[in-house]
Each structure stands twice: as structure tokens, then as C-alpha cells.
Amino acid sequence: KIMKLQQLRYILEVSKQNLNISHAAEALYTSQPGISKQIKQLEDELGVELFHRSGKHLSSVTAAGEAILPLASEMLKTANTIKVVAEEFSNQRQGNLSIATTHTQSRYVLPQIIKRFMNTYQDVALHMHQGTPLQIAEMAASGVADFAIATEALALFSDLIMMPCYRWNRAILIPRNHPLASISAPSLEEIARHPIVTYTFGFTGRSKLDDAFAQKGLSPRVVFTATDADVIKTYVRLGLGIGIVARMACDPVSDADLIAIDAGHLFAASTTSIGFRRGTFLRGYMYDFMEMFAPHLNRERIDLAMNCPDKAAIDKLFIGIPLPSY
């Protein structure tokens, strides 16, 4: 008998679904008896049990299973890489590209880049996933997404090769009749006197905002948070509070009823990065997408980053390279 990749997919999905075979079958679009049969066949071939059983149900992963599951995951990733390499040689302009990022990136930064990319690679299917920094990191690490684009909680991305793309800062959004409208460069103390509407903690540079207030010993009244800048604007318009959003999210046309005050003098700039898991085979169009997103990320520099042993080495690689600012 020969171990099948499908059997490895089954045991990994069962583990992911907390040993619930029914849920694994639904996720893999197959039958519960089929999964049970294939798992048993794999165990018979290996000569060890991967799961403890309680009646007809799986109750826990065995010690052998704990050792084998990570290897199965790596084998599937390698198998997928082989397919990707073959696709690159058979058709260099056709394939899939999946990106995991936040609402702010997908709404305000990526549209023009994606339009340009899709005009260049009309036979590449592009998929966008939005999520929290933790979800973005998990999607990239597991292979659900090819690229992760994120600003916050980059420690979560330690298994990925993360490269800096651009720096950005914030703007304060207020209605035109707001008391701050007459102040061109308000202080943090003046900002803290008003209720604030801003990003949920862990999103879009929120930590830099909190750090700035903390260093001044201020406790701002954050009365409403959201992951979406458009939602924040809605509540600013309702008079719930002043908005603090990414400057790139301010549109002079659609937000003409609001005043946007540059807040670069109040908060440290944030850096957005793009990354992918180590060992990824990058197809030609993947290199091109990264260079469209961040022009300094040419093929040579990306290859150097891929050969860096750790994050410190990657960071050193980008010292002195000017990043675009938004």
C-alpha cells in the first residue's frame, strides 16, 4: 500500500475540527464513512493509531499522532509547492493569488494596485481575505493565503518573511462645526478632552495611538471602536466623538463634510509590511505583485530576504532604504 496525500488531508482536517469527523467531512466535501475508512487504512499501513477512540468517536490524538500530524502538514505544503513549481513552468501567466489583510488596506490602498495587477495578469484569479492580525497570520502560515499584509501585532508573524512596504500616519476627523475646527495642530491634551472614535485595539496602528497618550499620562475616552474606517466616519458624523483614522482613509471628495486634521505631529508613524511563509515558491506574478505594492521590493531584494535566517537579518536588509509615506 502507498500512503495517499488525501489521507493526510483527512487526518489534518479531523485534528483541525477538534476530532469531529462530521465537521471534517463537511469542510472537505466528502462523506463521514469515507474519512473514517481512510484514517483506519492509514493507521493499518503505519502500524500505529493516530487517534484514541471512545466507541465510534475519536477522543484524543495519540502520541504517535502528535508526532505525525506536523510531518503530514509539511508533506502537504511540499506537495503544493511541487504543483506551484510545475504551474510556473507550464503557464507563467496563469494561476491564483490569495491575499489576507485588513479592511483599511483592502479598501484604501490595494484597489489601484489590484486593478493594475489584474490588467497585467488577466488569467490570474485573485482572492482577498479580510481579518484580524491573528487571522491574517494564521491564513498565511497555513497556506490559505499566499501573502499577509499587516501593520499591527507583527510578532504574530514570526514564522513569515515580513518586509516593510510603506509608512503612514493618522488624521483626526471632525464635523465642520466642532470646537477643534479652529485649531490647526491640536495637542494630545486637547484631543483627550473629547470622546474618541477609532480602531479596535490590534487594528491599523492602534497601538501607536495608545502609546502616545500613555507617554503623556493621558487616558483618552474611547467611546466607540470599529475595524472599518467607514464605520468610524459614520459615527463621527452622528456626533458621537472625534475620529482618529489612517490618513489614507480620508477622501477629500466623499468626506467633504468633515475636516481632516493631520496628526503626524502627535503619533509615531506606523509601517505596513507584506510577507509570506518560509519555503514558499514565488511565481513570477507574485514577485510582480509585491513590486507593484512596494516598488523597492524588487526580485533581488525579495530573494535576499528569503535567505535571511531571522527577522533581525531581514530588518537589517532594509536599513537606509527610503519607504513611501502616506
Side-chain angles (χ1 to χ4, degrees), residues 156-282:
L156 295 170
F157 300 79
S158 58
D159 293 337
L160 306 181
I161 295 169
M162 297 296 292
M163 300 170 291
C165 298
Y166 62 86
R167 293 190 177 92
W168 59 271
N169 217 307
R170 294 142 193 82
I172 298 158
L173 284 176
I174 54 175
R176 292 197 167 273
N177 61 354
H178 194 276
L180 288 177
S182 61
I183 305 173
S184 59
S187 66
L188 277 178
E189 288 80 3
E190 288 170 319
I191 296 296
R193 295 191 190 112
H194 301 275
I196 293 172
V197 182
T198 191
Y199 296 107
T200 303
F201 186 79
F203 276 81
T204 317
R206 169 68 190 271
S207 61
K208 294 290 178 70
L209 185 152
D210 293 331
D211 289 347
F213 283 111
Q215 287 172 11
K216 289 277 190 177
L218 299 170
S219 299
R221 285 186 293 145
V222 178
V223 296
F224 182 87
T225 64
T227 61
D228 180 334
D230 293 334
V231 173
I232 293 171
K233 294 175 192 177
T234 296
Y235 286 91
V236 170
R237 290 184 171 101
L238 290 174
L240 193 66
I242 63 174
I244 302 179
V245 299
R247 192 163 57 202
M248 69 190 85
C250 299
D251 188 314
V253 177
S254 62
D255 300 328
D257 58 324
L258 301 174
I259 295 175
I261 303 172
D262 185 90
H265 64 293
L266 299 176
F267 307 109
S270 293
T271 300
T272 292
S273 299
I274 189 169
F276 50 87
R277 65 190 180 280
R278 290 188 177 276
T280 296
F281 177 80
L282 296 176

